[in-house]
PDB file of all heavy atoms in Angstrom:
ATOM      1  N   SER A   1     296.337 215.463 -36.765  1.00 74.00           N
ATOM      2  CA  SER A   1     295.966 216.247 -35.581  1.00 74.00           C
ATOM      3  C   SER A   1     296.893 217.438 -35.369  1.00 74.00           C
ATOM      4  O   SER A   1     296.578 218.321 -34.579  1.00 74.00           O
ATOM      5  CB  SER A   1     295.984 215.361 -34.338  1.00 74.00           C
ATOM      6  OG  SER A   1     297.316 214.964 -34.043  1.00 74.00           O
ATOM      7  N   GLY A   2     298.052 217.434 -36.033  1.00 71.00           N
ATOM      8  CA  GLY A   2     298.957 218.573 -35.971  1.00 71.00           C
ATOM      9  C   GLY A   2     299.984 218.544 -34.857  1.00 71.00           C
ATOM     10  O   GLY A   2     300.783 219.456 -34.737  1.00 71.00           O
ATOM     11  N   TRP A   3     300.038 217.507 -34.040  1.00 68.00           N
ATOM     12  CA  TRP A   3     301.011 217.537 -32.950  1.00 68.00           C
ATOM     13  C   TRP A   3     302.259 216.694 -33.198  1.00 68.00           C
ATOM     14  O   TRP A   3     303.073 216.531 -32.309  1.00 68.00           O
ATOM     15  CB  TRP A   3     300.378 217.198 -31.611  1.00 68.00           C
ATOM     16  CG  TRP A   3     299.748 215.852 -31.423  1.00 68.00           C
ATOM     17  CD1 TRP A   3     298.457 215.530 -31.636  1.00 68.00           C
ATOM     18  CD2 TRP A   3     300.371 214.662 -30.933  1.00 68.00           C
ATOM     19  NE1 TRP A   3     298.236 214.222 -31.322  1.00 68.00           N
ATOM     20  CE2 TRP A   3     299.392 213.656 -30.881  1.00 68.00           C
ATOM     21  CE3 TRP A   3     301.658 214.338 -30.530  1.00 68.00           C
ATOM     22  CZ2 TRP A   3     299.648 212.367 -30.449  1.00 68.00           C
ATOM     23  CZ3 TRP A   3     301.924 213.047 -30.097  1.00 68.00           C
ATOM     24  CH2 TRP A   3     300.922 212.079 -30.063  1.00 68.00           C
ATOM     25  N   ILE A   4     302.461 216.212 -34.397  1.00 66.00           N
ATOM     26  CA  ILE A   4     303.670 215.436 -34.659  1.00 66.00           C
ATOM     27  C   ILE A   4     304.771 216.330 -35.216  1.00 66.00           C
ATOM     28  O   ILE A   4     305.682 216.714 -34.523  1.00 66.00           O
ATOM     29  CB  ILE A   4     303.385 214.232 -35.581  1.00 66.00           C
ATOM     30  CG1 ILE A   4     302.465 213.255 -34.866  1.00 66.00           C
ATOM     31  CG2 ILE A   4     304.675 213.549 -35.992  1.00 66.00           C
ATOM     32  CD1 ILE A   4     302.097 212.045 -35.659  1.00 66.00           C
ATOM     33  N   ASN A   5     304.718 216.651 -36.499  1.00 58.00           N
ATOM     34  CA  ASN A   5     305.821 217.451 -37.036  1.00 58.00           C
ATOM     35  C   ASN A   5     305.467 218.303 -38.236  1.00 58.00           C
ATOM     36  O   ASN A   5     306.310 218.956 -38.781  1.00 58.00           O
ATOM     37  CB  ASN A   5     307.018 216.572 -37.391  1.00 58.00           C
ATOM     38  CG  ASN A   5     306.807 215.778 -38.666  1.00 58.00           C
ATOM     39  OD1 ASN A   5     305.684 215.540 -39.072  1.00 58.00           O
ATOM     40  ND2 ASN A   5     307.876 215.360 -39.289  1.00 58.00           N
ATOM     41  N   SER A   6     304.257 218.271 -38.675  1.00 55.00           N
ATOM     42  CA  SER A   6     303.956 219.073 -39.856  1.00 55.00           C
ATOM     43  C   SER A   6     302.746 219.953 -39.595  1.00 55.00           C
ATOM     44  O   SER A   6     302.315 220.123 -38.460  1.00 55.00           O
ATOM     45  CB  SER A   6     303.738 218.175 -41.077  1.00 55.00           C
ATOM     46  OG  SER A   6     302.474 217.565 -41.030  1.00 55.00           O
ATOM     47  N   ASN A   7     302.196 220.451 -40.621  1.00 53.00           N
ATOM     48  CA  ASN A   7     301.104 221.412 -40.495  1.00 53.00           C
ATOM     49  C   ASN A   7     299.782 220.792 -40.054  1.00 53.00           C
ATOM     50  O   ASN A   7     298.831 221.509 -39.777  1.00 53.00           O
ATOM     51  CB  ASN A   7     300.919 222.160 -41.820  1.00 53.00           C
ATOM     52  CG  ASN A   7     300.625 221.221 -42.977  1.00 53.00           C
ATOM     53  OD1 ASN A   7     300.186 220.092 -42.775  1.00 53.00           O
ATOM     54  ND2 ASN A   7     300.886 221.679 -44.185  1.00 53.00           N
ATOM     55  N   GLY A   8     299.693 219.484 -40.013  1.00 53.00           N
ATOM     56  CA  GLY A   8     298.476 218.832 -39.556  1.00 53.00           C
ATOM     57  C   GLY A   8     297.317 218.912 -40.533  1.00 53.00           C
ATOM     58  O   GLY A   8     296.182 218.683 -40.159  1.00 53.00           O
ATOM     59  N   GLU A   9     297.609 219.238 -41.766  1.00 57.00           N
ATOM     60  CA  GLU A   9     296.541 219.371 -42.742  1.00 57.00           C
ATOM     61  C   GLU A   9     296.175 218.056 -43.407  1.00 57.00           C
ATOM     62  O   GLU A   9     295.127 217.934 -44.005  1.00 57.00           O
ATOM     63  CB  GLU A   9     296.920 220.403 -43.802  1.00 57.00           C
ATOM     64  CG  GLU A   9     296.992 221.810 -43.230  1.00 57.00           C
ATOM     65  CD  GLU A   9     297.392 222.828 -44.261  1.00 57.00           C
ATOM     66  OE1 GLU A   9     297.588 222.463 -45.439  1.00 57.00           O
ATOM     67  OE2 GLU A   9     297.519 224.001 -43.887  1.00 57.00           O
ATOM     68  N   ASP A  10     297.061 217.071 -43.348  1.00 59.00           N
ATOM     69  CA  ASP A  10     296.733 215.804 -43.974  1.00 59.00           C
ATOM     70  C   ASP A  10     297.432 214.666 -43.255  1.00 59.00           C
ATOM     71  O   ASP A  10     298.269 214.867 -42.394  1.00 59.00           O
ATOM     72  CB  ASP A  10     297.091 215.806 -45.462  1.00 59.00           C
ATOM     73  CG  ASP A  10     298.425 216.447 -45.752  1.00 59.00           C
ATOM     74  OD1 ASP A  10     299.366 216.273 -44.958  1.00 59.00           O
ATOM     75  OD2 ASP A  10     298.525 217.118 -46.759  1.00 59.00           O
ATOM     76  N   ASN A  11     297.035 213.455 -43.612  1.00 61.00           N
ATOM     77  CA  ASN A  11     297.598 212.285 -42.948  1.00 61.00           C
ATOM     78  C   ASN A  11     298.365 211.430 -43.949  1.00 61.00           C
ATOM     79  O   ASN A  11     298.211 210.232 -43.984  1.00 61.00           O
ATOM     80  CB  ASN A  11     296.497 211.484 -42.235  1.00 61.00           C
ATOM     81  CG  ASN A  11     295.437 210.938 -43.179  1.00 61.00           C
ATOM     82  OD1 ASN A  11     295.543 211.096 -44.394  1.00 61.00           O
ATOM     83  ND2 ASN A  11     294.431 210.298 -42.623  1.00 61.00           N
ATOM     84  N   GLU A  12     299.206 212.064 -44.726  1.00 65.00           N
ATOM     85  CA  GLU A  12     299.968 211.358 -45.739  1.00 65.00           C
ATOM     86  C   GLU A  12     301.312 210.889 -45.187  1.00 65.00           C
ATOM     87  O   GLU A  12     301.921 211.557 -44.362  1.00 65.00           O
ATOM     88  CB  GLU A  12     300.200 212.272 -46.937  1.00 65.00           C
ATOM     89  CG  GLU A  12     298.904 212.672 -47.618  1.00 65.00           C
ATOM     90  CD  GLU A  12     299.134 213.621 -48.774  1.00 65.00           C
ATOM     91  OE1 GLU A  12     300.300 213.839 -49.157  1.00 65.00           O
ATOM     92  OE2 GLU A  12     298.139 214.141 -49.298  1.00 65.00           O
ATOM     93  N   TYR A  13     301.766 209.775 -45.685  1.00 63.00           N
ATOM     94  CA  TYR A  13     303.049 209.231 -45.266  1.00 63.00           C
ATOM     95  C   TYR A  13     304.183 210.231 -45.495  1.00 63.00           C
ATOM     96  O   TYR A  13     305.088 210.348 -44.683  1.00 63.00           O
ATOM     97  CB  TYR A  13     303.365 207.946 -46.039  1.00 63.00           C
ATOM     98  CG  TYR A  13     302.596 206.745 -45.550  1.00 63.00           C
ATOM     99  CD1 TYR A  13     301.297 206.498 -45.987  1.00 63.00           C
ATOM    100  CD2 TYR A  13     303.170 205.846 -44.677  1.00 63.00           C
ATOM    101  CE1 TYR A  13     300.593 205.392 -45.555  1.00 63.00           C
ATOM    102  CE2 TYR A  13     302.484 204.733 -44.235  1.00 63.00           C
ATOM    103  CZ  TYR A  13     301.190 204.504 -44.676  1.00 63.00           C
ATOM    104  OH  TYR A  13     300.508 203.413 -44.244  1.00 63.00           O
ATOM    105  N   TRP A  14     304.137 210.941 -46.602  1.00 59.00           N
ATOM    106  CA  TRP A  14     305.225 211.860 -46.931  1.00 59.00           C
ATOM    107  C   TRP A  14     305.372 212.960 -45.895  1.00 59.00           C
ATOM    108  O   TRP A  14     306.435 213.544 -45.754  1.00 59.00           O
ATOM    109  CB  TRP A  14     305.025 212.455 -48.325  1.00 59.00           C
ATOM    110  CG  TRP A  14     305.107 211.410 -49.387  1.00 59.00           C
ATOM    111  CD1 TRP A  14     304.085 211.010 -50.204  1.00 59.00           C
ATOM    112  CD2 TRP A  14     306.233 210.609 -49.747  1.00 59.00           C
ATOM    113  NE1 TRP A  14     304.517 210.002 -51.040  1.00 59.00           N
ATOM    114  CE2 TRP A  14     305.831 209.735 -50.780  1.00 59.00           C
ATOM    115  CE3 TRP A  14     307.542 210.529 -49.283  1.00 59.00           C
ATOM    116  CZ2 TRP A  14     306.685 208.816 -51.358  1.00 59.00           C
ATOM    117  CZ3 TRP A  14     308.395 209.603 -49.866  1.00 59.00           C
ATOM    118  CH2 TRP A  14     307.966 208.768 -50.889  1.00 59.00           C
ATOM    119  N   ASP A  15     304.322 213.256 -45.169  1.00 61.00           N
ATOM    120  CA  ASP A  15     304.410 214.289 -44.138  1.00 61.00           C
ATOM    121  C   ASP A  15     305.263 213.855 -42.955  1.00 61.00           C
ATOM    122  O   ASP A  15     305.644 214.675 -42.136  1.00 61.00           O
ATOM    123  CB  ASP A  15     303.015 214.678 -43.638  1.00 61.00           C
ATOM    124  CG  ASP A  15     302.302 215.588 -44.611  1.00 61.00           C
ATOM    125  OD1 ASP A  15     302.971 216.203 -45.463  1.00 61.00           O
ATOM    126  OD2 ASP A  15     301.074 215.678 -44.519  1.00 61.00           O
ATOM    127  N   LEU A  16     305.547 212.570 -42.841  1.00 65.00           N
ATOM    128  CA  LEU A  16     306.405 212.093 -41.757  1.00 65.00           C
ATOM    129  C   LEU A  16     307.875 212.312 -42.069  1.00 65.00           C
ATOM    130  O   LEU A  16     308.713 212.300 -41.170  1.00 65.00           O
ATOM    131  CB  LEU A  16     306.159 210.603 -41.491  1.00 65.00           C
ATOM    132  CG  LEU A  16     304.733 210.225 -41.120  1.00 65.00           C
ATOM    133  CD1 LEU A  16     304.648 208.729 -40.880  1.00 65.00           C
ATOM    134  CD2 LEU A  16     304.251 211.008 -39.931  1.00 65.00           C
ATOM    135  N   ASP A  17     308.198 212.510 -43.323  1.00 61.00           N
ATOM    136  CA  ASP A  17     309.578 212.712 -43.740  1.00 61.00           C
ATOM    137  C   ASP A  17     310.101 214.028 -43.166  1.00 61.00           C
ATOM    138  O   ASP A  17     309.431 215.043 -43.223  1.00 61.00           O
ATOM    139  CB  ASP A  17     309.659 212.743 -45.269  1.00 61.00           C
ATOM    140  CG  ASP A  17     311.082 212.658 -45.769  1.00 61.00           C
ATOM    141  OD1 ASP A  17     311.925 212.059 -45.085  1.00 61.00           O
ATOM    142  OD2 ASP A  17     311.341 213.207 -46.852  1.00 61.00           O
ATOM    143  N   GLY A  18     311.279 213.980 -42.604  1.00 58.00           N
ATOM    144  CA  GLY A  18     311.889 215.193 -42.084  1.00 58.00           C
ATOM    145  C   GLY A  18     311.514 215.509 -40.653  1.00 58.00           C
ATOM    146  O   GLY A  18     311.809 216.583 -40.157  1.00 58.00           O
ATOM    147  N   GLY A  19     310.899 214.582 -39.948  1.00 62.00           N
ATOM    148  CA  GLY A  19     310.559 214.816 -38.546  1.00 62.00           C
ATOM    149  C   GLY A  19     311.785 214.699 -37.657  1.00 62.00           C
ATOM    150  O   GLY A  19     312.901 214.454 -38.116  1.00 62.00           O
ATOM    151  N   PHE A  20     311.584 214.887 -36.390  1.00 69.00           N
ATOM    152  CA  PHE A  20     312.676 214.829 -35.431  1.00 69.00           C
ATOM    153  C   PHE A  20     312.640 213.509 -34.689  1.00 69.00           C
ATOM    154  O   PHE A  20     311.602 213.122 -34.134  1.00 69.00           O
ATOM    155  CB  PHE A  20     312.593 216.001 -34.464  1.00 69.00           C
ATOM    156  CG  PHE A  20     312.802 217.330 -35.142  1.00 69.00           C
ATOM    157  CD1 PHE A  20     311.731 218.124 -35.489  1.00 69.00           C
ATOM    158  CD2 PHE A  20     314.080 217.745 -35.461  1.00 69.00           C
ATOM    159  CE1 PHE A  20     311.924 219.333 -36.130  1.00 69.00           C
ATOM    160  CE2 PHE A  20     314.292 218.947 -36.104  1.00 69.00           C
ATOM    161  CZ  PHE A  20     313.210 219.752 -36.436  1.00 69.00           C
ATOM    162  N   ALA A  21     313.783 212.818 -34.654  1.00 73.00           N
ATOM    163  CA  ALA A  21     313.869 211.495 -34.050  1.00 73.00           C
ATOM    164  C   ALA A  21     313.481 211.505 -32.573  1.00 73.00           C
ATOM    165  O   ALA A  21     312.808 210.596 -32.098  1.00 73.00           O
ATOM    166  CB  ALA A  21     315.283 210.942 -34.217  1.00 73.00           C
ATOM    167  N   ASP A  22     313.884 212.537 -31.856  1.00 75.00           N
ATOM    168  CA  ASP A  22     313.576 212.563 -30.431  1.00 75.00           C
ATOM    169  C   ASP A  22     312.072 212.690 -30.187  1.00 75.00           C
ATOM    170  O   ASP A  22     311.528 212.081 -29.272  1.00 75.00           O
ATOM    171  CB  ASP A  22     314.342 213.677 -29.721  1.00 75.00           C
ATOM    172  CG  ASP A  22     314.100 215.060 -30.303  1.00 75.00           C
ATOM    173  OD1 ASP A  22     313.870 215.171 -31.521  1.00 75.00           O
ATOM    174  OD2 ASP A  22     314.177 216.037 -29.528  1.00 75.00           O
ATOM    175  N   ARG A  23     311.376 213.448 -31.017  1.00 78.00           N
ATOM    176  CA  ARG A  23     309.930 213.589 -30.850  1.00 78.00           C
ATOM    177  C   ARG A  23     309.223 212.266 -31.153  1.00 78.00           C
ATOM    178  O   ARG A  23     308.289 211.884 -30.459  1.00 78.00           O
ATOM    179  CB  ARG A  23     309.397 214.702 -31.748  1.00 78.00           C
ATOM    180  CG  ARG A  23     309.925 216.062 -31.271  1.00 78.00           C
ATOM    181  CD  ARG A  23     309.212 217.216 -31.854  1.00 78.00           C
ATOM    182  NE  ARG A  23     307.827 217.248 -31.390  1.00 78.00           N
ATOM    183  CZ  ARG A  23     306.835 217.738 -32.126  1.00 78.00           C
ATOM    184  NH1 ARG A  23     307.063 218.229 -33.322  1.00 78.00           N
ATOM    185  NH2 ARG A  23     305.611 217.752 -31.654  1.00 78.00           N
ATOM    186  N   ALA A  24     309.672 211.567 -32.193  1.00 80.00           N
ATOM    187  CA  ALA A  24     309.066 210.266 -32.508  1.00 80.00           C
ATOM    188  C   ALA A  24     309.292 209.287 -31.356  1.00 80.00           C
ATOM    189  O   ALA A  24     308.384 208.538 -30.986  1.00 80.00           O
ATOM    190  CB  ALA A  24     309.640 209.718 -33.804  1.00 80.00           C
ATOM    191  N   MET A  25     310.488 209.302 -30.766  1.00 83.00           N
ATOM    192  CA  MET A  25     310.770 208.408 -29.636  1.00 83.00           C
ATOM    193  C   MET A  25     309.859 208.755 -28.459  1.00 83.00           C
ATOM    194  O   MET A  25     309.319 207.860 -27.802  1.00 83.00           O
ATOM    195  CB  MET A  25     312.236 208.508 -29.224  1.00 83.00           C
ATOM    196  CG  MET A  25     312.640 207.502 -28.175  1.00 83.00           C
ATOM    197  SD  MET A  25     312.646 205.800 -28.761  1.00 83.00           S
ATOM    198  CE  MET A  25     314.231 205.723 -29.566  1.00 83.00           C
ATOM    199  N   ASP A  26     309.656 210.051 -28.187  1.00 84.00           N
ATOM    200  CA  ASP A  26     308.717 210.466 -27.133  1.00 84.00           C
ATOM    201  C   ASP A  26     307.330 209.902 -27.402  1.00 84.00           C
ATOM    202  O   ASP A  26     306.670 209.399 -26.496  1.00 84.00           O
ATOM    203  CB  ASP A  26     308.594 211.991 -27.080  1.00 84.00           C
ATOM    204  CG  ASP A  26     309.852 212.708 -26.617  1.00 84.00           C
ATOM    205  OD1 ASP A  26     310.779 212.058 -26.106  1.00 84.00           O
ATOM    206  OD2 ASP A  26     309.893 213.941 -26.792  1.00 84.00           O
ATOM    207  N   HIS A  27     306.878 210.015 -28.650  1.00 86.00           N
ATOM    208  CA  HIS A  27     305.535 209.585 -29.008  1.00 86.00           C
ATOM    209  C   HIS A  27     305.363 208.072 -28.921  1.00 86.00           C
ATOM    210  O   HIS A  27     304.279 207.588 -28.616  1.00 86.00           O
ATOM    211  CB  HIS A  27     305.183 210.056 -30.422  1.00 86.00           C
ATOM    212  CG  HIS A  27     305.148 211.545 -30.543  1.00 86.00           C
ATOM    213  ND1 HIS A  27     305.471 212.199 -31.702  1.00 86.00           N
ATOM    214  CD2 HIS A  27     304.847 212.521 -29.655  1.00 86.00           C
ATOM    215  CE1 HIS A  27     305.355 213.505 -31.520  1.00 86.00           C
ATOM    216  NE2 HIS A  27     304.981 213.723 -30.283  1.00 86.00           N
ATOM    217  N   ILE A  28     306.415 207.325 -29.187  1.00 86.00           N
ATOM    218  CA  ILE A  28     306.345 205.861 -29.145  1.00 86.00           C
ATOM    219  C   ILE A  28     306.424 205.337 -27.719  1.00 86.00           C
ATOM    220  O   ILE A  28     305.702 204.435 -27.339  1.00 86.00           O
ATOM    221  CB  ILE A  28     307.466 205.242 -30.012  1.00 86.00           C
ATOM    222  CG1 ILE A  28     307.233 205.585 -31.488  1.00 86.00           C
ATOM    223  CG2 ILE A  28     307.550 203.734 -29.809  1.00 86.00           C
ATOM    224  CD1 ILE A  28     308.435 205.333 -32.368  1.00 86.00           C
ATOM    225  N   THR A  29     307.324 205.916 -26.919  1.00 87.00           N
ATOM    226  CA  THR A  29     307.601 205.372 -25.583  1.00 87.00           C
ATOM    227  C   THR A  29     306.892 206.091 -24.447  1.00 87.00           C
ATOM    228  O   THR A  29     306.751 205.532 -23.367  1.00 87.00           O
ATOM    229  CB  THR A  29     309.108 205.412 -25.290  1.00 87.00           C
ATOM    230  OG1 THR A  29     309.538 206.776 -25.213  1.00 87.00           O
ATOM    231  CG2 THR A  29     309.894 204.639 -26.334  1.00 87.00           C
ATOM    232  N   GLY A  30     306.530 207.361 -24.649  1.00 85.00           N
ATOM    233  CA  GLY A  30     305.992 208.153 -23.551  1.00 85.00           C
ATOM    234  C   GLY A  30     307.069 208.648 -22.615  1.00 85.00           C
ATOM    235  O   GLY A  30     306.796 209.184 -21.550  1.00 85.00           O
ATOM    236  N   GLN A  31     308.325 208.467 -23.013  1.00 81.00           N
ATOM    237  CA  GLN A  31     309.465 208.916 -22.209  1.00 81.00           C
ATOM    238  C   GLN A  31     310.191 210.018 -22.963  1.00 81.00           C
ATOM    239  O   GLN A  31     310.249 209.998 -24.191  1.00 81.00           O
ATOM    240  CB  GLN A  31     310.415 207.752 -21.952  1.00 81.00           C
ATOM    241  CG  GLN A  31     309.750 206.584 -21.261  1.00 81.00           C
ATOM    242  CD  GLN A  31     310.596 205.331 -21.312  1.00 81.00           C
ATOM    243  OE1 GLN A  31     311.765 205.365 -21.652  1.00 81.00           O
ATOM    244  NE2 GLN A  31     309.992 204.199 -20.979  1.00 81.00           N
ATOM    245  N   ASN A  32     310.749 210.953 -22.231  1.00 71.00           N
ATOM    246  CA  ASN A  32     311.489 212.032 -22.876  1.00 71.00           C
ATOM    247  C   ASN A  32     312.757 211.491 -23.511  1.00 71.00           C
ATOM    248  O   ASN A  32     313.503 210.742 -22.889  1.00 71.00           O
ATOM    249  CB  ASN A  32     311.862 213.124 -21.877  1.00 71.00           C
ATOM    250  CG  ASN A  32     310.659 213.925 -21.434  1.00 71.00           C
ATOM    251  OD1 ASN A  32     309.700 214.068 -22.187  1.00 71.00           O
ATOM    252  ND2 ASN A  32     310.694 214.435 -20.229  1.00 71.00           N
ATOM    253  N   ALA A  33     312.963 211.872 -24.755  1.00 69.00           N
ATOM    254  CA  ALA A  33     314.185 211.510 -25.471  1.00 69.00           C
ATOM    255  C   ALA A  33     314.971 212.786 -25.708  1.00 69.00           C
ATOM    256  O   ALA A  33     314.420 213.879 -25.715  1.00 69.00           O
ATOM    257  CB  ALA A  33     313.843 210.847 -26.796  1.00 69.00           C
ATOM    258  N   VAL A  34     316.249 212.627 -25.892  1.00 64.00           N
ATOM    259  CA  VAL A  34     317.118 213.774 -26.114  1.00 64.00           C
ATOM    260  C   VAL A  34     317.811 213.607 -27.453  1.00 64.00           C
ATOM    261  O   VAL A  34     318.304 212.530 -27.773  1.00 64.00           O
ATOM    262  CB  VAL A  34     318.176 213.890 -24.991  1.00 64.00           C
ATOM    263  CG1 VAL A  34     319.136 215.013 -25.270  1.00 64.00           C
ATOM    264  CG2 VAL A  34     317.506 214.061 -23.638  1.00 64.00           C
ATOM    265  N   MET A  35     317.825 214.673 -28.230  1.00 67.00           N
ATOM    266  CA  MET A  35     318.553 214.657 -29.494  1.00 67.00           C
ATOM    267  C   MET A  35     319.779 215.552 -29.324  1.00 67.00           C
ATOM    268  O   MET A  35     319.665 216.698 -28.890  1.00 67.00           O
ATOM    269  CB  MET A  35     317.678 215.171 -30.631  1.00 67.00           C
ATOM    270  CG  MET A  35     318.350 215.048 -31.978  1.00 67.00           C
ATOM    271  SD  MET A  35     317.218 215.272 -33.354  1.00 67.00           S
ATOM    272  CE  MET A  35     316.989 217.029 -33.338  1.00 67.00           C
ATOM    273  N   ILE A  36     320.931 214.997 -29.650  1.00 66.00           N
ATOM    274  CA  ILE A  36     322.177 215.730 -29.511  1.00 66.00           C
ATOM    275  C   ILE A  36     322.815 215.850 -30.882  1.00 66.00           C
ATOM    276  O   ILE A  36     323.064 214.850 -31.550  1.00 66.00           O
ATOM    277  CB  ILE A  36     323.145 215.007 -28.548  1.00 66.00           C
ATOM    278  CG1 ILE A  36     322.479 214.869 -27.166  1.00 66.00           C
ATOM    279  CG2 ILE A  36     324.468 215.734 -28.469  1.00 66.00           C
ATOM    280  CD1 ILE A  36     323.229 213.977 -26.219  1.00 66.00           C
ATOM    281  N   ALA A  37     323.070 217.080 -31.302  1.00 65.00           N
ATOM    282  CA  ALA A  37     323.769 217.306 -32.569  1.00 65.00           C
ATOM    283  C   ALA A  37     325.250 217.043 -32.340  1.00 65.00           C
ATOM    284  O   ALA A  37     325.817 217.475 -31.339  1.00 65.00           O
ATOM    285  CB  ALA A  37     323.542 218.732 -33.048  1.00 65.00           C
ATOM    286  N   MET A  38     325.846 216.327 -33.255  1.00 65.00           N
ATOM    287  CA  MET A  38     327.262 216.000 -33.129  1.00 65.00           C
ATOM    288  C   MET A  38     328.004 216.528 -34.340  1.00 65.00           C
ATOM    289  O   MET A  38     327.794 216.054 -35.448  1.00 65.00           O
ATOM    290  CB  MET A  38     327.435 214.481 -32.999  1.00 65.00           C
ATOM    291  CG  MET A  38     326.873 213.954 -31.710  1.00 65.00           C
ATOM    292  SD  MET A  38     326.949 212.160 -31.487  1.00 65.00           S
ATOM    293  CE  MET A  38     328.490 211.688 -32.136  1.00 65.00           C
ATOM    294  N   PRO A  39     328.876 217.495 -34.143  1.00 67.00           N
ATOM    295  CA  PRO A  39     329.662 218.002 -35.271  1.00 67.00           C
ATOM    296  C   PRO A  39     330.643 216.943 -35.767  1.00 67.00           C
ATOM    297  O   PRO A  39     330.880 215.934 -35.100  1.00 67.00           O
ATOM    298  CB  PRO A  39     330.391 219.206 -34.681  1.00 67.00           C
ATOM    299  CG  PRO A  39     330.398 218.969 -33.207  1.00 67.00           C
ATOM    300  CD  PRO A  39     329.191 218.148 -32.885  1.00 67.00           C
ATOM    301  N   ASP A  40     331.195 217.184 -36.944  1.00 70.00           N
ATOM    302  CA  ASP A  40     332.174 216.250 -37.516  1.00 70.00           C
ATOM    303  C   ASP A  40     333.234 215.881 -36.487  1.00 70.00           C
ATOM    304  O   ASP A  40     333.770 216.737 -35.797  1.00 70.00           O
ATOM    305  CB  ASP A  40     332.854 216.871 -38.739  1.00 70.00           C
ATOM    306  CG  ASP A  40     331.917 217.000 -39.914  1.00 70.00           C
ATOM    307  OD1 ASP A  40     330.856 216.360 -39.898  1.00 70.00           O
ATOM    308  OD2 ASP A  40     332.258 217.752 -40.851  1.00 70.00           O
ATOM    309  N   GLY A  41     333.510 214.595 -36.396  1.00 71.00           N
ATOM    310  CA  GLY A  41     334.545 214.102 -35.493  1.00 71.00           C
ATOM    311  C   GLY A  41     334.065 213.839 -34.083  1.00 71.00           C
ATOM    312  O   GLY A  41     334.791 213.263 -33.284  1.00 71.00           O
ATOM    313  N   ALA A  42     332.860 214.239 -33.740  1.00 71.00           N
ATOM    314  CA  ALA A  42     332.371 214.082 -32.370  1.00 71.00           C
ATOM    315  C   ALA A  42     332.223 212.614 -31.985  1.00 71.00           C
ATOM    316  O   ALA A  42     332.454 212.253 -30.841  1.00 71.00           O
ATOM    317  CB  ALA A  42     331.054 214.814 -32.184  1.00 71.00           C
ATOM    318  N   ALA A  43     331.842 211.771 -32.936  1.00 68.00           N
ATOM    319  CA  ALA A  43     331.670 210.350 -32.620  1.00 68.00           C
ATOM    320  C   ALA A  43     332.985 209.721 -32.176  1.00 68.00           C
ATOM    321  O   ALA A  43     333.001 208.836 -31.323  1.00 68.00           O
ATOM    322  CB  ALA A  43     331.094 209.604 -33.815  1.00 68.00           C
TER     323      ALA A  43
END
């Protein structure tokens, strides 16, 4: 359908590779998720 993470031209498993974790969490839960980039040493 094109609203996940790729061009929406096909429904292949490989098209899920490289998506964004926060968007997948939104799609699974219906709740807004936040993705925070952490530079080296941030943890």
Side-chain angles (χ1 to χ4, degrees):
S1 68
W3 61 268
I4 295 179
N5 75 337
S6 76
N7 58 21
E9 292 179 2
D10 42 38
N11 62 3
E12 297 178 9
Y13 283 83
W14 295 114
D15 283 341
L16 302 180
D17 192 29
F20 295 99
D22 56 328
R23 293 194 66 211
M25 187 68 82
D26 292 348
H27 297 149
I28 294 165
T29 66
Q31 302 166 13
N32 289 331
V34 176
M35 185 166 76
I36 301 170
M38 293 177 39
D40 290 344

